[in-house]
Amino acid sequence: MRPSDRRKSTPASAGRASRPEAAQAEAFPHRRDRLARVIRAKKLDALVVSDRSNVRYLTGFRGEDSWLLITPKKSLILSDARFTDQIAEECPGLEAEIRLPGSGRTLLSMSAQIIQSLRVRNVGFEKRALSYADAQSLIEASSTTTWTPTEDLVEGLRVFKDKHEIRSMREAVSVAERAFTVLRASLRAEDREKDLADRLEGTMRSLGGECSAFPSICAVGPRAALPHAIPGSTRVGEHPILLVDWGARWGSYNSDLTRVLVTGPSSSKIEKVYQTVLSAQKKAIEAIRPGARAGDVDRIARRTIEEAGFGRYFGHSLGHGLGLKVHEAPGLREGSDVLLEPGMIVTVEPGIYLKDWGGVRIEDDVLVTKAGHEVLTSVPKEFDEVIVGIS
Ligand code: ZN
Ligand code: ZN
């Protein structure tokens, strides 16, 4: 190891205070301590964290191509010269090993070399985050190490959001909701789906969001029957149903909502489908509390939709966990035995999709609390509140 490459990151500069991560600074060592306890319990000497969201969760680092090596006693981020200053700024106090240009080292060779030098024997790696080729290279480059594939060690901690994470998610919700209000007020019949997505995403950025949480879905009429429609050139005025599925990212955390607006003459079919989805969603949200089985919450929504005769048109699970990733644990899906616990945040998003006609999905973000739940999102969703007049 070349000592010149290793450094302690400098303390936070005054400028950091305005960044969302600054407020979380004390949370990162605490999260690493919790992971160290997990590592010990798994009888590992060290863990190589290569999943980018997991590295972000444990260190605050927002860049890429960097791994965290963690032992019960020590944490070391492995990165390259592109990120020297960023690591110093985002991860004050964290030891960093920086690969310099021309050193001939790769992230893999540097990791293997450091692991050998630390004399750790049983080292875990994240089997979902490392490609087969990378895992093979790592194993070949460190002959005295026993490599153990692991899963969900960090994800298991991430399931429970701490106060900093909940605060970031409230901001992500707020940005998304304000942007939707702007979009709704500006709707015109000649707007194309793509225009709406562009406007919505630009507004989320201008309102303080980092970016959109995922490519927004704006789908008119029959296009709304595709749960993951890509915005195209269909115009709002061509059909009374407009489905918008969008979210903002703030401080690396995501929100995820869906609303359907009725932009033209309604019909009894539109109202029936809408009210069925809304009723299924409300009943499922009511059932969310500590100790509730994720599969039972899904079942409650599914049964409501089945009883209205639309069971076969609800072809996805009820919801998913939300945080640093848009889809993470726990999933609200059929048959899941996961028990909900305080601190979990899930989406609740039943839908009915009728080919060549259209679709309705209503999605909110829900925090499991000690007393039950708190719906973090608040965009109006009663049927009479989603009817908009457009010119
Ligand atoms: Zn969504
Ligand atoms: Zn979702």
Side-chain angles (χ1 to χ4, degrees), residues 214 245-246 256-258 320 349 361 363:
F214 50 87
D245 185 344
W246 81 108
D256 182 8
L257 298 91
T258 306
H320 51 86
E349 49 179 306
R361 177 168 66 253
E363 177 177 24

Side-chain angles (χ1 to χ4, degrees), residues 28-49 68-76 95 115 118-124 153:
F28 303 119
H30 178 64
R31 293 174 192 167
R32 295 197 293 270
D33 286 346
R34 288 173 62 211
L35 180 61
R37 285 200 286 278
V38 173
I39 291 171
R40 226 180 270 125
K42 295 280 175 194
K43 309 249 183 291
L44 295 170
D45 299 323
L47 177 70
V48 175
V49 180
L68 182 73
L69 174 66
I70 179 161
T71 76
K73 291 197 177 127
K74 157 185 198 78
S75 299
L76 178 64
E95 198 174 340
I115 284 162
L118 288 176
R119 301 187 187 291
V120 284
R121 292 279 175 260
N122 190 8
V123 182
L153 298 190

Side-chain angles (χ1 to χ4, degrees), residues 88-136:
E89 185 182 312
E90 294 180 343
C91 320
L94 182 65
E95 198 174 340
E97 176 83 8
I98 304 290
R99 202 165 80 247
L100 299 175
S103 67
R105 304 166 94 196
T106 64
L107 183 55
L108 282 164
S109 69
M110 178 165 82
S111 306
Q113 188 188 3
I114 290 171
I115 284 162
Q116 299 272 47
S117 74
L118 288 176
R119 301 187 187 291
V120 284
R121 292 279 175 260
N122 190 8
V123 182
F125 66 95
E126 300 181 299
K127 70 179 188 185
R128 289 211 191 92
L130 212 53
S131 70
Y132 182 71
D134 284 354
Q136 227 173 6

Side-chain angles (χ1 to χ4, degrees), residues 253-312:
Y253 284 81
N254 298 294
S255 54
D256 182 8
L257 298 91
T258 306
R259 286 292 184 268
V260 164
L261 297 176
V262 179
T263 59
S266 188
S267 67
S268 57
K269 187 171 180 182
I270 291 176
E271 181 161 5
K272 180 165 190 224
V273 170
Y274 191 93
Q275 296 287 17
T276 302
V277 173
L278 183 60
S279 163
Q281 200 226 20
K282 286 181 173 175
K283 286 180 191 169
I285 290 174
E286 270 320 299
I288 291 180
R289 62 176 68 91
R293 252 181 92 249
D296 290 343
V297 179
D298 177 284
R299 184 98 287 279
I300 287 165
R302 208 163 292 281
R303 191 185 309 127
T304 305
I305 290 175
E306 283 165 5
E307 283 168 2
F310 296 110
R312 54 191 287 244

Side-chain angles (χ1 to χ4, degrees), residues 313-362:
Y313 305 108
F314 173 25
H316 55 74
S317 57
L318 178 65
H320 51 86
L322 184 66
L324 286 168
K325 282 188 177 159
V326 177
H327 293 99
E328 55 182 54
L332 298 182
R333 65 173 74 93
E334 279 186 292
S336 169
D337 288 324
V338 169
L339 299 180
L340 299 181
E341 292 182 60
M344 292 177 169
I345 295 181
V346 291
T347 68
V348 180
E349 49 179 306
I352 294 175
Y353 310 94
L354 304 175
K355 192 170 182 315
D356 299 329
W357 178 80
V360 170
R361 177 168 66 253
I362 304 171

